[in-house]
């Protein structure tokens, strides 16, 4: 069992922006969702974990080793899939993986070949191993990204906004792949898409403005809002009025009508009680943070 323990991490940039504000998390094997809007501090936290930037305060322990003091320890056991990654033109999938495996320290040629063929099989790209990667579809590129992240048999994999731009079929295929590889290692999924966390992660945290607002099991967090989410269909021009009188956590058009979700501990006349979703958990926490400001 692998363990990543983050204790009271803080990071303020030179321009005064507090990117990470006293963040503490404990992450073990499996899929962990780090959910938050753009600018929430997710990428800053990921960069700190993998040693690309220092922290002003706190500890990060990976398998009981302080990686802020020993960044090479985690780098040797890390797989990373960024949101966008470039590929060389006119280079096949196999040859590019071979090059990346050498960079990752897999120097024995026979072992390297076995690893490359194994990861290509795992991500269902074996039949395309001789094709140039720049010709791949978006979904195939993301699966190739997982293949390169798996080289060296890492104990922790970090993926950043992995399903952005994928169609529903490719997203489902990609999510199934991530869930499979997360069975015996830590996989941290950094995303702003609630759907990805809901479908794949057994543990999650919501970040905004550098802080962890909430963490836990998605189903438990949804259960905590039972009986507290209310829906009403309104006219678009009424939205400002309802926002001033109620804790409106989300609004969206459905069949041309505006539906609002409101958080309330007590029953609201003329509203319909609805079963909470992870979207309600997410938007309720962001709304509470906004009100607090």
């Amino acid at each position: 069992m692998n363990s990543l323990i983050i204790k009271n991490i803080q990071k303020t940039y030179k321009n005064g922006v507090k990117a990470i504000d006293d963040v503490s998390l404990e992450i073990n094997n499996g899929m962990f969702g780090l959910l938050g809007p753009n600018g929430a501090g997710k990428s800053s936290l990921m960069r700190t974990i993998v040693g690309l930037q220092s922290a002003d305060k706190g500890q990060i322990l990976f398998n009981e080793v302080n990686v802020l003091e020993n960044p090479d320890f985690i780098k040797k056991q890390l797989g990373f899939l960024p949101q966008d990654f470039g590929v060389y033109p006119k280079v096949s999938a196999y040859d590019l993986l071979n090059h990346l495996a050498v960079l990752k320290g897999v120097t024995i040629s026979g072992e390297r070949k076995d690893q490359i063929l194994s990861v290509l099989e795992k991500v269902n790209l074996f039949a395309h191993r001789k094709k140039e990667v720049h010709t791949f579809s978006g979904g195939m590129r993301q699966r190739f990204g997982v293949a390169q992240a798996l080289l060296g048999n890492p104990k922790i994999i970090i993926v950043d906004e992995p399903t952005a731009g994928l169609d529903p079929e490719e997203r489902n295929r990609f999510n199934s792949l991530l869930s499979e590889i997360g069975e015996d290692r830590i996989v941290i999924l950094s995303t702003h898409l609630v759907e990805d966390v809901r479908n794949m992660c057994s543990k999650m945290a919501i970040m905004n403005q550098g802080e962890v607002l909430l963490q836990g099991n998605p189903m438990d967090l949804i259960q905590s809002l039972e009986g507290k989410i209310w829906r009403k269909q309104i006219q678009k021009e009424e939205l400002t009025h309802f926002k001033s009188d109620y804790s409106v956590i989300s609004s969206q058009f459905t069949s041309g009508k505006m539906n609002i979700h409101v958080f309330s501990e007590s029953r609201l006349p003329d509203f319909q009680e609805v079963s909470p979703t992870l979207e309600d958990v997410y938007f309720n926490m962001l709304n509470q943070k906004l009100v607090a400001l």
Side-chain angles (χ1 to χ4, degrees):
M1 177 68 72
N2 298 293
S3 170
L4 179 68
I5 299 174
I6 300 167
K7 295 182 179 179
N8 307 113
I9 288 294
Q10 294 188 16
K11 178 67 178 181
T12 302
Y13 292 127
K14 290 181 179 180
N15 61 4
V17 173
K18 186 175 281 189
I20 310 172
D21 188 2
D22 198 31
V23 165
S24 295
L25 295 168
E26 186 167 343
I27 304 172
N28 297 307
N29 281 12
M31 294 285 298
F32 184 93
L34 189 63
L35 181 63
N38 294 330
K42 305 187 302 295
S43 294
S44 292
L45 182 59
M46 298 300 99
R47 286 197 297 270
T48 308
I49 291 171
V50 304
L52 293 177
Q53 68 180 22
S54 61
D56 300 330
K57 180 183 175 183
Q59 285 186 316
I60 299 178
L61 304 174
F62 180 61
N63 292 342
E64 302 182 351
V65 173
N66 189 333
V67 300
L68 293 180
E69 297 175 354
N70 303 279
D72 286 344
F73 179 77
I74 194 169
K75 287 179 180 178
K76 291 176 181 177
Q77 305 176 78
L78 171 72
F80 182 50
L81 174 56
Q83 183 175 357
D84 297 301
F85 59 93
V87 295
Y88 298 111
K90 301 181 187 284
V91 178
S92 71
Y94 182 94
D95 288 344
L96 186 50
L97 287 175
N98 185 63
H99 173 67
L100 294 170
V102 171
L103 295 178
K104 282 195 171 188
V106 187
T107 55
I108 301 173
S109 60
E111 177 187 342
R112 191 165 64 246
K113 180 179 179 180
D114 289 344
Q115 271 201 38
I116 293 168
L117 295 179
S118 174
V119 298
L120 283 168
E121 191 74 53
K122 185 178 285 287
V123 302
N124 198 27
L125 287 176
F126 184 83
H128 305 284
R129 64 192 183 279
K130 296 180 181 180
K131 292 184 180 178
E132 297 173 7
V133 180
H134 76 96
T135 67
F136 283 2
S137 68
M140 291 170 68
R141 277 203 187 200
Q142 288 299 78
R143 283 185 279 134
F144 177 84
V146 172
Q148 63 81 23
L150 286 170
L151 291 172
N153 194 27
K155 294 180 180 178
I156 178 170
I157 293 177
I158 294 175
V159 290
D160 187 15
E161 302 285 358
T163 63
L166 299 188
D167 64 37
E169 183 179 352
E170 288 177 326
R171 176 178 287 146
N172 289 337
R173 187 185 299 121
F174 186 79
N175 288 349
S176 297
L177 172 61
L178 283 184
S179 297
E180 179 186 338
I181 66 174
E183 292 175 0
D184 57 355
R185 72 194 90 212
I186 292 172
V187 179
I188 300 177
L189 171 66
S190 174
T191 182
H192 69 281
L193 298 174
V194 178
E195 180 183 358
D196 287 348
V197 174
R198 182 185 62 230
N199 292 343
M200 293 190 288
C201 301
S202 58
K203 293 287 180 66
M204 65 171 288
I206 297 174
M207 277 192 80
N208 196 25
Q209 296 180 336
E211 296 181 54
V212 169
L213 307 181
L214 188 69
Q215 57 181 300
N217 175 279
M219 298 310 297
D220 293 340
L221 298 179
I222 291 170
Q223 182 65 35
S224 71
L225 288 185
E226 199 67 51
K228 301 175 184 177
I229 302 298
W230 307 84
R231 182 176 65 198
K232 186 176 179 65
Q233 192 172 90
I234 65 171
Q235 299 296 321
K236 180 181 178 182
E237 55 270 18
E238 295 179 301
L239 181 59
T240 301
H241 163 69
F242 276 92
K243 281 186 172 182
S244 65
D245 290 350
Y246 300 96
S247 179
V248 177
I249 61 175
S250 65
S251 59
Q252 63 178 11
F253 280 100
T254 305
S255 301
K257 303 287 186 179
M258 175 167 281
N259 288 276
I260 58 172
H261 276 207
V262 169
F263 172 83
S264 176
E265 300 271 3
S266 56
R267 177 171 292 277
L268 295 177
D270 301 323
F271 282 76
Q272 177 188 1
E273 181 183 343
V274 292
S275 297
T277 65
L278 194 59
E279 283 86 354
D280 292 321
V281 173
Y282 178 55
F283 290 122
N284 185 49
M285 289 311 302
L286 296 186
N287 184 63
Q288 286 184 24
K289 176 69 174 176
L290 192 62
V291 170
L293 297 175

